[in-house]
Amino acid sequence: MIRKLSLITYLLMSRIHWSPREKSLVNALNLLSERKQNSAFRIVDLGCGPGLLSGIKQLHIDAYWGIDTDKKTIDYCKKNKEKWPNIKFSYCDFMEESFVFAKNDILILNGVVHHLNDHQLGVLLHKARRCAAMIITDHYRFGRCKHMLPPLMQALDRGKFVRSYDCYNVINGFEMKNSVIYKINIFRITFWLFFCNMYEAINEE
């Protein structure tokens, strides 16, 4: 939930954390495009915040759908970004029974899963099986960390469900095709460790 003040804070913080996250997402999406050539996809950016992903120029996006549960955030996105072709933003909740994905969707969970409890995440991943693919980038937690700050930053995060990386190795209905661990640094000091996993849906037909 992003209020007006926290939206401004997010936009300022994005100058620090967005660049490495953008790079990982671009690489994952480009890899997916290479694997599924001649396919038209819609990117579904769940928990889109201020819609930063919709503005990545390196991507050849057929369509983009940004979703958030904060109305003020969606109002901001519609005013500033929905004027671009094939881009729309919606204020909605994936937990609603009527919410469904399309078979050509690529679901993006960019810093989202650590805000979802086990029930919410379970519902989302079950619905996501209908998608063509999924990309998750989030806090990396695995055993002991040689960096001092990432565990502290995870503990201080608004999201209270930072899970072990093992939880994302195997997801029912998907096969992981690529995984990258990356750092988010400030003045060469590692404050955050993130992973970026790309999955393809398993065709059960």
Side-chain angles (χ1 to χ4, degrees):
M1 300 282 290
I2 302 178
R3 303 294 180 188
K4 185 174 181 180
L5 181 60
S6 59
L7 175 58
I8 295 171
T9 302
Y10 189 95
L11 289 169
L12 291 173
M13 284 294 294
S14 69
R15 295 180 180 272
I16 297 171
H17 66 71
W18 178 245
S19 180
R21 290 166 74 170
E22 175 184 317
K23 181 179 179 181
S24 71
L25 288 166
V26 167
N27 289 340
L29 285 165
N30 285 340
L31 177 62
L32 186 59
S33 295
E34 291 174 4
R35 293 180 58 83
K36 294 183 177 292
Q37 295 183 12
N38 302 319
S39 297
F41 295 112
R42 176 178 68 171
I43 288 178
V44 180
D45 188 6
L46 190 65
C48 65
L52 298 177
L53 184 60
S54 67
I56 297 179
K57 296 179 180 179
Q58 306 97 305
L59 298 178
H60 300 288
I61 298 175
D62 299 295
Y64 171 94
W65 183 22
I67 299 169
D68 207 284
T69 56
D70 187 80
K71 190 175 185 302
K72 289 184 177 179
T73 298
I74 293 300
D75 289 343
Y76 165 85
C77 291
K78 285 185 174 182
K79 180 180 179 181
N80 292 278
K81 301 187 176 186
E82 199 171 55
K83 55 189 175 183
W84 299 342
N86 300 321
I87 289 178
K88 75 170 184 175
F89 292 91
S90 299
Y91 165 64
C92 59
D93 186 351
F94 72 85
M95 292 295 289
E96 295 290 336
E97 187 175 349
S98 59
F99 184 95
V100 293
F101 294 103
K103 291 184 178 180
N104 68 326
D105 284 343
I106 299 174
L107 174 60
I108 306 290
L109 300 174
N110 178 21
V112 170
V113 293
H114 70 282
H115 290 283
L116 305 179
N117 62 36
D118 289 346
H119 174 65
Q120 291 171 322
L121 183 58
V123 169
L124 175 59
L125 294 178
H126 180 75
K127 290 187 174 187
R129 294 182 192 181
R130 182 180 173 85
C131 297
M134 176 172 64
I135 297 172
I136 301 177
T137 184
D138 212 278
H139 288 287
Y140 177 73
R141 175 182 286 175
F142 186 81
R144 297 188 63 179
C145 180
K146 65 179 181 179
H147 302 282
M148 295 179 61
L149 288 173
L152 175 61
M153 299 307 291
Q154 292 171 4
L156 294 174
D157 197 285
R158 276 189 311 118
K160 300 306 177 186
F161 304 98
V162 179
R163 299 170 177 86
S164 169
Y165 179 71
D166 288 341
C167 296
Y168 304 103
N169 277 331
V170 178
I171 296 178
N172 288 337
F174 289 91
E175 183 177 356
M176 185 162 63
K177 295 296 185 179
N178 192 62
S179 179
V180 175
I181 311 301
Y182 62 96
K183 302 175 184 178
I184 300 179
N185 295 339
I186 302 177
F187 300 120
R188 298 186 180 181
I189 299 173
T190 300
F191 275 72
W192 295 273
L193 281 174
F194 266 58
F195 69 88
C196 184
N197 291 354
M198 187 269 281
Y199 308 83
E200 289 182 11
I202 298 172
N203 189 347
E204 298 180 350
E205 295 180 0

